[in-house]
Coordinates of all heavy atoms in Angstrom, one line a residue:
M1 N -44.6 142.0 40.5 CA -43.5 142.4 41.3 C -43.6 144.0 41.4 O -43.7 144.6 40.4 CB -42.2 142.0 40.7 CG -41.0 142.6 41.5 SD -39.4 142.2 40.7 CE -39.5 143.4 39.4
T2 N -43.5 144.5 42.6 CA -43.4 145.9 42.8 C -42.1 146.3 43.3 O -41.5 145.7 44.2 CB -44.5 146.3 43.8 OG1 -45.8 145.9 43.4 CG2 -44.5 147.8 44.0
E3 N -41.5 147.4 42.7 CA -40.2 147.9 43.2 C -40.3 149.4 43.5 O -40.9 150.1 42.7 CB -39.1 147.6 42.2 CG -38.8 146.2 42.0 CD -37.6 146.0 41.1 OE1 -36.7 146.8 41.1 OE2 -37.6 145.0 40.3
F4 N -39.8 149.8 44.7 CA -39.9 151.2 45.0 C -38.8 151.4 46.0 O -38.3 150.5 46.6 CB -41.2 151.7 45.4 CG -41.8 150.9 46.5 CD1 -41.7 151.3 47.8 CD2 -42.6 149.8 46.2 CE1 -42.3 150.6 48.9 CE2 -43.1 149.0 47.2 CZ -43.0 149.5 48.5
K5 N -38.4 152.7 46.3 CA -37.4 153.0 47.3 C -38.1 153.4 48.6 O -39.1 154.1 48.6 CB -36.6 154.2 46.8 CG -35.9 154.0 45.4 CD -34.5 153.8 45.6 CE -33.8 153.7 44.3 NZ -32.6 153.1 44.3
T6 N -37.5 153.0 49.7 CA -37.9 153.3 51.0 C -36.8 153.2 52.0 O -35.9 152.3 51.9 CB -39.1 152.5 51.5 OG1 -39.5 152.9 52.8 CG2 -38.8 151.0 51.6
E7 N -36.6 154.2 52.9 CA -35.6 154.2 53.9 C -34.2 154.0 53.3 O -33.4 153.2 53.9 CB -35.9 153.2 55.0 CG -37.3 153.4 55.7 CD -37.6 152.4 56.7 OE1 -36.6 151.8 57.3 OE2 -38.7 152.1 56.9
G8 N -33.9 154.5 52.2 CA -32.6 154.3 51.6 C -32.4 153.0 50.9 O -31.4 152.7 50.3
A9 N -33.4 152.1 50.9 CA -33.3 150.8 50.3 C -34.2 150.7 49.1 O -35.4 151.2 49.1 CB -33.6 149.6 51.3
Q10 N -33.9 149.9 48.1 CA -34.8 149.6 47.0 C -35.6 148.4 47.6 O -35.0 147.4 48.0 CB -34.0 149.2 45.8 CG -34.9 148.9 44.6 CD -34.2 148.6 43.4 OE1 -33.0 148.9 43.2 NE2 -34.9 148.0 42.4
V11 N -36.9 148.5 47.4 CA -37.8 147.4 47.9 C -38.2 146.6 46.7 O -38.6 147.1 45.7 CB -39.0 148.0 48.6 CG1 -40.0 146.9 49.0 CG2 -38.6 148.8 49.8
V12 N -38.0 145.3 46.8 CA -38.5 144.3 45.8 C -39.6 143.5 46.5 O -39.3 142.7 47.4 CB -37.3 143.4 45.3 CG1 -37.8 142.4 44.3 CG2 -36.3 144.3 44.7
D13 N -40.8 143.6 46.0 CA -41.9 142.9 46.5 C -42.2 141.6 45.6 O -42.7 141.8 44.5 CB -43.2 143.8 46.5 CG -44.4 143.1 47.2 OD1 -44.3 141.9 47.4 OD2 -45.3 143.8 47.6
A14 N -41.8 140.5 46.1 CA -41.9 139.2 45.4 C -42.9 138.3 46.0 O -42.9 137.1 45.8 CB -40.5 138.5 45.3
R15 N -43.9 138.9 46.7 CA -44.9 138.0 47.2 C -45.7 137.4 46.1 O -46.0 138.0 45.1 CB -45.9 138.9 48.1 CG -45.2 139.2 49.4 CD -46.1 140.1 50.2 NE -46.0 141.5 49.7 CZ -46.4 142.6 50.3 NH1 -47.0 142.5 51.5 NH2 -46.3 143.8 49.8
G16 N -46.1 136.2 46.3 CA -46.8 135.4 45.3 C -45.9 134.7 44.3 O -46.4 133.9 43.5
M17 N -44.6 135.0 44.3 CA -43.7 134.3 43.4 C -43.0 133.1 44.2 O -42.8 133.2 45.4 CB -42.5 135.3 43.0 CG -43.0 136.4 42.2 SD -41.6 137.4 41.7 CE -42.5 138.7 40.9
R18 N -42.8 132.1 43.5 CA -42.1 130.9 44.0 C -40.7 130.9 43.7 O -40.3 131.4 42.6 CB -42.8 129.6 43.6 CG -44.3 129.5 44.0 CD -44.3 129.3 45.6 NE -45.6 129.6 46.1 CZ -45.8 130.4 47.1 NH1 -44.8 130.9 47.8 NH2 -47.0 130.6 47.6
C19 N -39.9 130.3 44.5 CA -38.4 130.2 44.3 C -38.2 129.4 43.0 O -38.9 128.5 42.7 CB -37.7 129.6 45.5 SG -37.6 130.7 46.8
P20 N -37.2 129.9 42.2 CA -36.2 130.8 42.5 C -36.5 132.3 42.2 O -35.6 133.1 42.3 CB -35.0 130.4 41.6 CG -35.7 129.9 40.4 CD -37.0 129.3 40.9
W21 N -37.7 132.6 41.8 CA -38.0 134.0 41.4 C -37.7 135.1 42.4 O -37.1 136.1 42.0 CB -39.4 134.1 40.9 CG -39.6 133.4 39.6 CD1 -40.2 132.2 39.4 CD2 -38.9 133.7 38.3 NE1 -40.0 131.8 38.1 CE2 -39.3 132.7 37.5 CE3 -38.2 134.8 37.9 CZ2 -38.8 132.7 36.1 CZ3 -37.7 134.8 36.6 CH2 -38.1 133.8 35.7
P22 N -38.0 134.9 43.7 CA -37.6 136.0 44.7 C -36.1 136.3 44.6 O -35.6 137.4 44.6 CB -38.1 135.5 46.0 CG -39.2 134.7 45.7 CD -38.8 134.0 44.4
A23 N -35.3 135.2 44.6 CA -33.8 135.3 44.6 C -33.3 136.0 43.3 O -32.4 136.8 43.3 CB -33.2 134.0 44.8
L24 N -34.0 135.6 42.2 CA -33.6 136.2 40.9 C -33.9 137.7 40.9 O -33.1 138.5 40.4 CB -34.3 135.5 39.8 CG -33.9 134.1 39.5 CD1 -34.8 133.4 38.5 CD2 -32.4 134.0 39.1
R25 N -35.1 138.1 41.5 CA -35.4 139.5 41.5 C -34.4 140.2 42.4 O -34.1 141.4 42.1 CB -36.8 139.7 42.0 CG -37.9 139.0 41.2 CD -38.0 139.7 39.9 NE -39.2 139.1 39.2 CZ -39.3 139.1 37.9 NH1 -38.4 139.6 37.1 NH2 -40.4 138.6 37.3
L26 N -34.0 139.6 43.5 CA -33.0 140.2 44.4 C -31.7 140.4 43.7 O -31.1 141.5 43.7 CB -32.8 139.3 45.7 CG -31.7 139.7 46.6 CD1 -31.9 141.1 47.2 CD2 -31.5 138.7 47.7
A27 N -31.3 139.4 43.0 CA -30.0 139.5 42.2 C -30.0 140.6 41.2 O -29.1 141.4 41.1 CB -29.6 138.2 41.6
R28 N -31.2 140.8 40.5 CA -31.3 141.8 39.5 C -31.2 143.2 40.2 O -30.6 144.1 39.7 CB -32.6 141.7 38.8 CG -32.8 142.8 37.8 CD -34.1 142.8 37.1 NE -34.3 141.7 36.3 CZ -35.5 141.3 35.8 NH1 -36.6 142.1 36.0 NH2 -35.6 140.2 35.0
A29 N -31.9 143.4 41.3 CA -31.9 144.6 42.1 C -30.5 145.0 42.6 O -30.1 146.2 42.6 CB -32.9 144.6 43.2
M30 N -29.8 144.0 43.0 CA -28.5 144.2 43.6 C -27.5 144.7 42.5 O -26.4 145.1 42.9 CB -28.0 143.0 44.4 CG -28.7 142.8 45.7 SD -28.5 144.1 46.9 CE -26.7 143.9 47.3
R31 N -27.8 144.5 41.3 CA -26.9 144.9 40.2 C -26.7 146.5 40.3 O -25.6 147.0 40.1 CB -27.4 144.7 38.8 CG -27.4 143.2 38.4 CD -28.0 143.1 37.0 NE -28.4 141.7 36.8 CZ -29.2 141.4 35.8 NH1 -29.7 142.3 35.0 NH2 -29.6 140.1 35.6
D32 N -27.7 147.2 40.6 CA -27.7 148.6 40.6 C -27.8 149.3 42.0 O -27.5 150.4 42.2 CB -28.8 149.2 39.8 CG -28.8 148.7 38.3 OD1 -27.6 148.7 37.8 OD2 -29.8 148.4 37.7
A33 N -28.2 148.5 43.0 CA -28.4 149.0 44.3 C -27.4 148.4 45.3 O -27.0 147.3 45.1 CB -29.8 148.8 44.8
A34 N -27.1 149.1 46.3 CA -26.2 148.6 47.4 C -27.0 148.2 48.6 O -26.5 147.6 49.5 CB -25.2 149.6 47.8
D35 N -28.3 148.5 48.6 CA -29.2 148.2 49.7 C -30.6 147.8 49.2 O -31.3 148.7 48.6 CB -29.3 149.4 50.6 CG -30.0 149.2 51.9 OD1 -30.4 148.1 52.3 OD2 -30.1 150.2 52.7
V36 N -31.0 146.6 49.5 CA -32.3 146.1 48.9 C -33.1 145.5 50.1 O -32.5 144.7 50.8 CB -32.1 145.1 47.8 CG1 -33.4 144.5 47.3 CG2 -31.4 145.7 46.6
L37 N -34.4 145.7 50.1 CA -35.3 145.0 51.0 C -36.2 144.1 50.2 O -36.9 144.6 49.3 CB -36.2 146.1 51.8 CG -37.3 145.4 52.7 CD1 -36.7 144.6 53.8 CD2 -38.2 146.5 53.2
L38 N -36.0 142.8 50.4 CA -36.8 141.8 49.7 C -38.0 141.4 50.5 O -37.8 141.0 51.7 CB -35.9 140.6 49.3 CG -36.7 139.5 48.7 CD1 -37.1 139.8 47.2 CD2 -35.8 138.2 48.6
I39 N -39.1 141.4 50.0 CA -40.3 140.9 50.6 C -40.8 139.7 49.8 O -41.1 139.8 48.6 CB -41.5 141.9 50.7 CG1 -41.0 143.2 51.4 CG2 -42.7 141.4 51.4 CD1 -41.9 144.4 51.2
A40 N -40.9 138.5 50.5 CA -41.3 137.3 49.8 C -42.1 136.4 50.7 O -41.8 136.4 52.0 CB -40.1 136.6 49.2
D41 N -43.1 135.7 50.2 CA -43.9 134.8 51.0 C -43.6 133.3 50.8 O -44.3 132.4 51.4 CB -45.3 135.1 51.0 CG -45.9 135.1 49.6 OD1 -45.1 134.8 48.6 OD2 -47.1 135.5 49.4
D42 N -42.7 133.0 49.9 CA -42.3 131.6 49.6 C -41.5 131.1 50.8 O -40.5 131.7 51.2 CB -41.5 131.4 48.4 CG -41.3 130.0 48.0 OD1 -41.0 129.2 48.9 OD2 -41.4 129.7 46.8
P43 N -41.9 130.0 51.4 CA -41.1 129.4 52.6 C -39.7 129.1 52.3 O -38.8 129.1 53.2 CB -41.8 128.2 53.0 CG -43.2 128.2 52.3 CD -43.0 129.1 51.1
Q44 N -39.3 128.9 51.1 CA -37.9 128.6 50.7 C -37.1 129.9 50.4 O -35.9 129.8 50.3 CB -37.9 127.7 49.4 CG -38.6 126.4 49.6 CD -38.0 125.6 50.7 OE1 -36.8 125.5 50.8 NE2 -38.9 125.0 51.5
A45 N -37.7 131.0 50.4 CA -37.0 132.3 50.1 C -35.8 132.5 51.0 O -34.8 133.0 50.5 CB -38.0 133.4 50.0
G46 N -36.0 132.3 52.3 CA -34.9 132.6 53.2 C -33.7 131.8 52.9 O -32.5 132.4 53.0
R47 N -33.8 130.6 52.6 CA -32.7 129.7 52.3 C -32.0 130.2 51.0 O -30.8 130.2 50.9 CB -33.2 128.3 52.1 CG -32.1 127.3 51.9 CD -32.6 125.8 51.9 NE -33.8 125.6 51.1 CZ -33.8 125.2 49.9 NH1 -32.7 124.8 49.3 NH2 -34.9 125.0 49.2
E48 N -32.9 130.5 50.0 CA -32.3 131.0 48.7 C -31.6 132.3 48.9 O -30.5 132.5 48.3 CB -33.5 131.2 47.7 CG -34.2 129.9 47.3 CD -33.4 129.1 46.3 OE1 -32.6 129.7 45.5 OE2 -33.5 127.8 46.4
V49 N -32.1 133.2 49.6 CA -31.5 134.5 49.9 C -30.2 134.3 50.6 O -29.2 135.0 50.2 CB -32.4 135.5 50.7 CG1 -31.7 136.7 51.2 CG2 -33.6 135.9 49.8
A50 N -30.1 133.5 51.6 CA -28.9 133.2 52.3 C -27.8 132.6 51.4 O -26.6 133.0 51.4 CB -29.1 132.3 53.5
A51 N -28.2 131.7 50.5 CA -27.2 131.1 49.6 C -26.7 132.1 48.6 O -25.5 132.2 48.3 CB -27.9 129.9 48.9
L52 N -27.6 133.0 48.1 CA -27.2 134.0 47.1 C -26.3 135.0 47.8 O -25.2 135.4 47.2 CB -28.4 134.7 46.6 CG -28.2 135.7 45.4 CD1 -27.6 135.0 44.2 CD2 -29.5 136.3 45.1
A53 N -26.6 135.4 49.0 CA -25.8 136.4 49.8 C -24.4 135.8 50.0 O -23.4 136.5 49.9 CB -26.5 136.8 51.1
D54 N -24.3 134.5 50.4 CA -23.0 133.9 50.7 C -22.2 133.9 49.4 O -21.0 134.2 49.4 CB -23.2 132.5 51.1 CG -23.6 132.4 52.6 OD1 -23.4 133.4 53.3 OD2 -24.1 131.3 53.0
E55 N -22.8 133.6 48.3 CA -22.1 133.5 47.0 C -21.5 134.9 46.6 O -20.4 135.0 46.0 CB -23.1 133.1 45.9 CG -22.5 132.9 44.5 CD -23.5 132.4 43.5 OE1 -24.4 131.6 43.9 OE2 -23.4 132.9 42.4
H56 N -22.2 136.0 46.9 CA -21.8 137.3 46.5 C -21.2 138.2 47.6 O -20.9 139.3 47.4 CB -23.0 138.1 45.9 CG -23.5 137.5 44.6 ND1 -22.8 137.8 43.4 CD2 -24.5 136.7 44.3 CE1 -23.5 137.1 42.5 NE2 -24.5 136.4 43.0
D57 N -21.1 137.6 48.8 CA -20.5 138.3 50.0 C -21.4 139.5 50.4 O -20.8 140.6 50.7 CB -19.1 138.7 49.7 CG -18.3 139.0 51.1 OD1 -18.7 138.4 52.1 OD2 -17.5 139.9 51.0
W58 N -22.7 139.3 50.4 CA -23.6 140.3 50.8 C -24.0 140.1 52.2 O -24.0 138.9 52.7 CB -24.9 140.3 50.0 CG -24.7 140.6 48.5 CD1 -23.7 141.3 47.9 CD2 -25.6 140.2 47.5 NE1 -23.9 141.4 46.6 CE2 -25.0 140.7 46.2 CE3 -26.8 139.4 47.4 CZ2 -25.6 140.4 45.0 CZ3 -27.3 139.2 46.2 CH2 -26.8 139.7 45.0
R59 N -24.4 141.1 52.9 CA -24.8 141.0 54.3 C -26.3 140.9 54.3 O -27.0 141.7 53.7 CB -24.3 142.3 55.1 CG -24.5 142.2 56.6 CD -23.9 143.4 57.2 NE -24.4 144.6 56.6 CZ -23.7 145.7 56.4 NH1 -22.6 145.9 56.9 NH2 -24.3 146.8 55.8
V60 N -26.9 140.0 55.1 CA -28.4 139.8 55.1 C -28.9 140.0 56.6 O -28.3 139.4 57.5 CB -28.8 138.5 54.6 CG1 -30.3 138.3 54.7 CG2 -28.3 138.2 53.2
E61 N -29.9 140.8 56.7 CA -30.6 141.0 58.0 C -32.1 140.6 57.8 O -32.7 141.3 57.0 CB -30.4 142.4 58.5 CG -29.0 142.8 58.7 CD -28.8 144.3 58.9 OE1 -29.9 145.0 59.0 OE2 -27.7 144.8 58.8
A62 N -32.6 139.7 58.6 CA -34.0 139.4 58.5 C -34.8 140.5 59.3 O -34.3 140.9 60.3 CB -34.3 138.0 59.1
E63 N -35.9 140.9 58.7 CA -36.7 141.9 59.4 C -38.1 141.3 59.7 O -38.5 140.4 59.0 CB -36.9 143.2 58.5 CG -35.6 143.9 58.3 CD -35.8 145.2 57.6 OE1 -36.9 145.6 57.3 OE2 -34.8 145.9 57.4
T64 N -38.7 141.7 60.8 CA -40.0 141.2 61.1 C -41.1 142.1 60.6 O -40.9 143.2 60.4 CB -40.1 141.1 62.7 OG1 -40.0 142.4 63.2 CG2 -39.1 140.2 63.3
A65 N -42.2 141.4 60.3 CA -43.4 142.1 59.8 C -44.7 141.5 60.4 O -44.7 140.4 60.9 CB -43.4 142.0 58.3
A66 N -45.7 142.2 60.3 CA -47.0 141.8 60.9 C -47.7 140.7 60.0 O -48.4 139.9 60.4 CB -48.0 142.9 61.0
D67 N -47.4 140.7 58.7 CA -48.0 139.8 57.8 C -47.1 138.5 57.7 O -46.1 138.4 58.4 CB -48.2 140.4 56.4 CG -46.8 140.9 55.7 OD1 -45.8 140.6 56.3 OD2 -46.9 141.6 54.7
D68 N -47.5 137.6 56.9 CA -46.9 136.3 56.8 C -45.6 136.3 55.8 O -44.9 135.3 55.7 CB -47.8 135.2 56.2 CG -48.9 134.8 57.3 OD1 -48.6 135.1 58.5 OD2 -49.9 134.4 56.9
A69 N -45.4 137.4 55.2 CA -44.2 137.5 54.3 C -42.9 137.7 55.1 O -42.9 138.4 56.1 CB -44.4 138.7 53.3
G70 N -41.9 137.1 54.5 CA -40.5 137.3 55.1 C -40.0 138.6 54.5 O -40.3 139.0 53.4
R71 N -39.1 139.2 55.2 CA -38.4 140.4 54.8 C -37.0 140.3 55.1 O -36.6 140.0 56.2 CB -39.0 141.7 55.5 CG -40.5 141.9 55.1 CD -41.1 142.9 56.0 NE -42.5 142.9 55.9 CZ -43.2 143.7 55.0 NH1 -42.5 144.6 54.2 NH2 -44.5 143.6 54.9
W72 N -36.1 140.5 54.1 CA -34.7 140.5 54.2 C -34.1 141.8 53.7 O -34.3 142.1 52.6 CB -34.1 139.3 53.5 CG -34.6 138.0 54.0 CD1 -34.1 137.2 55.0 CD2 -35.8 137.3 53.6 NE1 -34.9 136.1 55.2 CE2 -36.0 136.1 54.3 CE3 -36.8 137.6 52.6 CZ2 -37.0 135.3 54.2 CZ3 -37.9 136.7 52.4 CH2 -37.9 135.5 53.2
R73 N -33.2 142.4 54.5 CA -32.5 143.6 54.1 C -31.1 143.1 53.6 O -30.4 142.4 54.4 CB -32.3 144.5 55.3 CG -31.8 145.9 54.9 CD -32.9 146.7 54.3 NE -32.5 148.1 54.1 CZ -33.0 149.1 54.7 NH1 -33.9 149.0 55.7 NH2 -32.6 150.3 54.4
V74 N -30.8 143.3 52.4 CA -29.5 142.8 51.8 C -28.7 144.0 51.4 O -29.2 144.9 50.8 CB -29.8 141.9 50.6 CG1 -28.5 141.4 50.0 CG2 -30.8 140.8 51.0
R75 N -27.4 144.0 51.9 CA -26.5 145.1 51.6 C -25.2 144.5 51.1 O -24.7 143.5 51.6 CB -26.3 145.9 52.9 CG -27.6 146.6 53.4 CD -27.2 147.4 54.6 NE -28.4 148.1 55.0 CZ -29.0 148.0 56.1 NH1 -28.7 147.0 57.0 NH2 -30.1 148.7 56.4
R76 N -24.5 145.4 50.3 CA -23.2 145.0 49.9 C -22.2 145.3 51.1 O -22.5 146.2 51.9 CB -22.7 145.9 48.8 CG -23.5 145.7 47.5 CD -22.9 146.5 46.4 NE -23.7 146.4 45.3 CZ -23.7 145.4 44.4 NH1 -23.0 144.4 44.6 NH2 -24.6 145.4 43.4
R77 N -21.2 144.5 51.3 CA -20.2 144.7 52.3 C -19.2 145.8 51.9 O -19.0 146.0 50.9 CB -19.5 143.4 52.6 CG -20.4 142.4 53.2 CD -19.5 141.1 53.7 NE -20.4 140.1 54.0 CZ -20.7 139.7 55.2 NH1 -20.2 140.4 56.2 NH2 -21.5 138.7 55.5

């Protein structure tokens, strides 16, 4: 997993991890950050991210990318 800051968001690179790990990495990052960009290539990650965001009342925006990985910008409301 790679984490770094970009465009005001903490980036969590969870490519190669299978669920629930991308969602767990997102939850850990959201403890300290108000804005996280999650990158994950597990097909179930979008569903897991949406469920976690609903549970914590976070706002999620899907972002497009040239590669096969999904990208979700998650922010506190």
Side-chain angles (χ1 to χ4, degrees):
M1 175 187 74
T2 304
E3 293 187 34
F4 54 95
K5 301 252 183 199
T6 183
E7 299 176 32
Q10 180 176 346
V11 176
V12 176
D13 186 344
R15 286 177 283 194
M17 296 181 184
R18 295 293 162 229
C19 285
W21 290 108
L24 292 172
R25 300 292 188 207
L26 171 63
R28 179 187 294 171
M30 288 296 289
R31 288 182 200 161
D32 299 321
D35 187 4
V36 174
L37 175 65
L38 175 68
I39 304 169
D41 54 5
D42 186 319
Q44 301 300 318
R47 185 172 49 97
E48 295 282 330
V49 167
L52 187 62
D54 284 344
E55 181 179 326
H56 292 281
D57 196 33
W58 297 334
R59 189 177 51 210
V60 178
E61 300 167 9
E63 295 190 359
T64 58
D67 59 11
D68 289 336
R71 297 171 191 265
W72 298 270
R73 191 78 175 249
V74 182
R75 296 182 174 115
R76 295 186 189 281
R77 291 187 191 261

